Amino acid sequence: MLDTRIAEIGTFVIYLIDLALLLLLVGLKTVHRRRVGNHDRRRQEFLGLLSRHVSYDDCIDPITPRMAEDPAFLDALIDVREVLSGHELSNLEDIVAQHGVSAGLTRRLASRFPLGRRLRAAVALAEIGDKSAAPAMILHLSDHEPDIRIECARGLARLKWTPAIDDIVARFAIEETPVRARFADSLVGFGTSATWPLLAYVRVNHRSEDAGPALALRTVGRIRELDAAGSIHDVLAEAPSLEVTIAAVEALGGIASPDSAPRLHGLLADDRWQVRAKSATALGQISESSSILLLSEALRDANFWVRRNSATALARIPDGRTALYAALVGDDPYAADAAAEALADVGELVAARRRVEAGRSVEEPLLAHMESEGPT
Amino acid sequence: MPKILVADDSETIRTLLRTALSRAGYEVETAADGPTAHSMGRDGGFDLIILDQLMPGLLGLDVIEQLRVDGVEAPVLMLTGVDDGTTAAESLDRGAVDYIRKPFEMNELLARIKSRL
């Protein structure tokens, strides 16, 4: 009897706790919904305010320090900034400077807690921070939170704050891959100013590590400063690891300097198929007719990817397709396959078929290939 | 006073353009999605229509096409993304008179509008 009573009381207590938790959840959701609604309403008001400041040079609608600290104001500022360019953008930058927006965000970034608030401040600084925030962003490149480090690098790139480049590059050696990749994206944003620090990092470190120097080289390839090609040749001459060699070849392809063609011609004979394949691709990007003969020979390479990439490269080079037509009707079936795929990729086979159907002339090798393939 | 329709699902762009165009002396109405843009464009007697490409319900290119089928001759200016050359070209094919890439300079946009009105 007593046991039953205790069980009943226990069950009732559990029901009460459940009810209390449910009410708490409903209450929290209501508070959250109201907070979001208030945020959206304030954001709309701030959008109107900022629109007037952007559109009217003589706009005197006040922006108070309290507004400048409001997350809804920051969201509106970021949204407007993303849409505009030119003269109106400088109006926004004046607002940021005059109302101490960066200072407020920097204070929040420097606080210890909570992470969400700090991260929002870092994102806002990345989007709208002015140069007064640059020292703080450099400091927080070594923040314990990776997302904050990423946002700080992004903000420094947007400001093109070149003194930060060395600090960002220095972190290549210690960051994990996802963060390092985002740092590389930021360095591309700096443009050619980042090229030489990146190459210096490669020269110093490629003997002791692979991933960082490889990413640095690929980043140099994305930046595309022509003068960097010579330094990359020097790196290749030091016989780096496979990963670094591949990255160097990719960078040369990205930069596409004709001066790199002879170097890449030599790499078409490398023992490693990956290097041969990547070199073929890079030669296609450089697109020099001096590469046609060697790429034609590479159509007969033992490795599928070397053949494939060589064919693709030939399709890109002016007069390179003549070599592909020859391979189509040559004695090497693997070369013929590679040539056919490359020609198909550029729509040449479809175009040829249509010309045949229209009664127009077509290159003999293409005609022979279509006849061997049969009707489609 | 010339009347302009601004159709964009971005509240930021609608607010910005409403303010800037009003300042420039135009009467402005806005639409936030494709079907509304189409019905307002068809019935509203606008002197110029500014259309975003990516809108819910009906894409900007399709709105242009339907407006032309409905006999609406108002000039249409397309807003396109910075890397969206295909949309820019296709909008001209479908009847737009001009396009402007985002992010845009307000002065440039106003100049293009003025040249059409």
Side-chain angles (χ1 to χ4, degrees):
Chain A
M1 188 74 173
L2 181 61
D3 288 347
T4 309
R5 196 76 182 143
I6 290 172
E8 284 174 0
I9 292 170
T11 305
F12 180 69
V13 168
I14 290 171
Y15 284 152
L16 279 180
I17 293 172
D18 283 346
L19 181 62
L21 286 173
L22 184 62
L23 288 172
L24 180 64
L25 184 63
V26 169
L28 286 173
K29 288 190 85 168
T30 305
V31 166
H32 174 73
R33 204 175 300 127
R34 196 169 293 163
R35 188 177 294 170
V36 168
N38 284 344
H39 176 98
D40 287 346
R41 182 184 47 76
R42 292 198 316 278
R43 184 181 153 279
Q44 281 178 355
E45 289 169 4
F46 291 140
L47 264 181
L49 173 66
L50 289 168
S51 296
R52 292 191 293 278
H53 274 274
V54 161
S55 303
Y56 295 72
D57 288 334
D58 53 353
C59 180
I60 57 171
D61 291 359
I63 296 177
T64 64
R66 191 171 174 176
M67 278 182 193
E69 294 269 327
D70 191 326
F73 180 84
L74 296 174
D75 284 347
L77 201 49
I78 290 170
D79 287 346
V80 171
R81 194 195 159 280
E82 279 180 0
V83 167
L84 292 176
S85 64
H87 161 72
E88 292 84 17
L89 211 51
S90 61
N91 283 2
L92 282 183
E93 288 166 357
D94 289 343
I95 291 172
V96 169
Q98 285 165 16
H99 297 283
V101 172
S102 288
L105 291 170
T106 303
R107 278 194 302 275
R108 277 190 221 171
L109 184 59
S111 64
R112 292 184 67 196
F113 306 105
L115 170 61
R117 195 165 182 256
R118 297 184 66 232
L119 183 54
R120 279 194 297 277
V123 171
L125 279 174
E127 293 287 339
I128 57 172
D130 60 20
K131 291 181 178 174
S132 66
M137 285 196 274
I138 291 177
L139 189 64
H140 286 277
L141 285 175
S142 53
D143 195 282
H144 55 278
E145 288 297 333
D147 287 336
I148 288 178
R149 299 198 295 272
I150 288 169
E151 294 301 325
C152 288
R154 193 165 71 85
L156 290 163
R158 180 181 61 78
L159 290 170
K160 298 238 188 308
W161 190 260
T162 51
I165 291 175
D166 286 337
D167 291 274
I168 297 173
V169 174
R171 295 203 63 84
F172 265 39
I174 53 180
E175 289 289 357
E176 295 195 4
T177 304
V179 179
R180 195 164 47 203
R182 298 289 299 276
F183 273 27
D185 292 341
S186 295
L187 287 168
V188 174
F190 280 102
T192 54
S193 304
T195 300
W196 303 109
L198 282 164
L199 285 171
Y201 168 81
V202 172
R203 298 300 295 272
V204 168
N205 292 286
H206 78 79
R207 288 181 188 83
S208 55
E209 53 167 313
D210 286 347
L215 180 62
L217 282 164
R218 290 190 175 96
T219 309
V220 169
R222 288 169 64 189
I223 294 172
R224 294 187 176 183
E225 175 159 9
L226 273 179
D227 291 342
S231 289
I232 298 176
H233 297 166
D234 294 339
V235 170
L236 285 169
E238 292 170 9
S241 68
L242 177 61
E243 186 175 352
V244 172
T245 301
I246 288 171
V249 168
E250 288 179 1
L252 290 178
I255 293 169
S257 165
D259 295 341
S260 297
R263 196 77 177 82
L264 291 167
H265 292 164
L267 289 174
L268 279 179
D270 195 278
D271 293 337
R272 298 162 291 185
W273 68 265
Q274 300 94 329
V275 175
R276 299 197 302 277
K278 289 289 183 181
S279 298
T281 300
L283 285 167
Q285 289 170 280
I286 293 172
S287 208
E288 286 278 300
S289 54
S290 61
S291 305
I292 291 175
L293 185 58
L294 285 171
L295 285 169
S296 305
E297 290 169 8
L299 287 176
R300 294 170 175 268
D301 194 281
N303 179 272
F304 168 83
W305 288 110
V306 177
R307 297 194 299 270
R308 188 74 175 88
N309 291 3
S310 299
T312 303
L314 283 167
R316 290 181 71 159
I317 298 174
D319 297 331
R321 291 186 195 184
T322 309
L324 292 175
Y325 299 154
L328 264 186
V329 295
D331 57 359
D332 185 332
Y334 299 109
D337 281 346
E341 282 202 34
L343 288 169
D345 285 346
V346 294
E348 185 111 352
L349 294 182
V350 169
R353 207 170 288 281
R354 286 193 183 141
R355 288 204 297 275
V356 166
E357 287 165 3
R360 291 158 63 189
S361 65
V362 168
E363 288 81 2
E364 279 295 325
L366 284 175
L367 198 57
H369 174 75
M370 286 190 296
E371 285 170 357
S372 70
E373 291 281 297
T376 59
Chain B
M1 185 186 295
K3 194 172 159 191
I4 297 179
L5 171 64
V6 174
D8 198 307
D9 61 330
S10 160
E11 184 189 9
T12 304
I13 290 181
R14 292 199 306 274
T15 306
L16 265 171
L17 290 184
R18 187 193 301 118
T19 308
L21 294 175
S22 300
R23 162 88 157 98
Y26 301 108
E27 183 185 338
V28 183
E29 291 185 26
T30 61
D33 58 72
T36 308
H38 172 233
S39 61
M40 288 177 71
R42 184 189 57 214
D43 304 329
F46 293 97
D47 298 294
L48 184 134
I49 299 171
I50 299 174
L51 273 183
D52 182 34
Q53 160 60 356
L54 291 174
M55 288 189 288
L58 199 61
L59 293 177
L61 289 175
D62 297 326
V63 171
I64 298 176
E65 196 168 328
Q66 290 196 11
L67 286 174
R68 295 299 181 238
V69 166
D70 292 337
V72 173
E73 295 181 354
V76 174
L77 196 152
M78 201 75 183
L79 290 175
T80 69
V82 65
D83 292 323
D84 197 357
T86 307
T87 298
E90 200 172 337
S91 68
L92 296 176
D93 280 342
R94 293 214 197 178
V97 300
D98 203 351
Y99 64 88
I100 191 157
R101 293 205 160 113
K102 294 186 278 190
F104 52 84
E105 285 201 37
M106 196 64 76
N107 286 341
E108 183 185 352
L109 179 64
L110 290 172
R112 291 189 187 207
I113 290 170
K114 192 176 175 186
S115 73
R116 298 290 172 188
L117 291 177

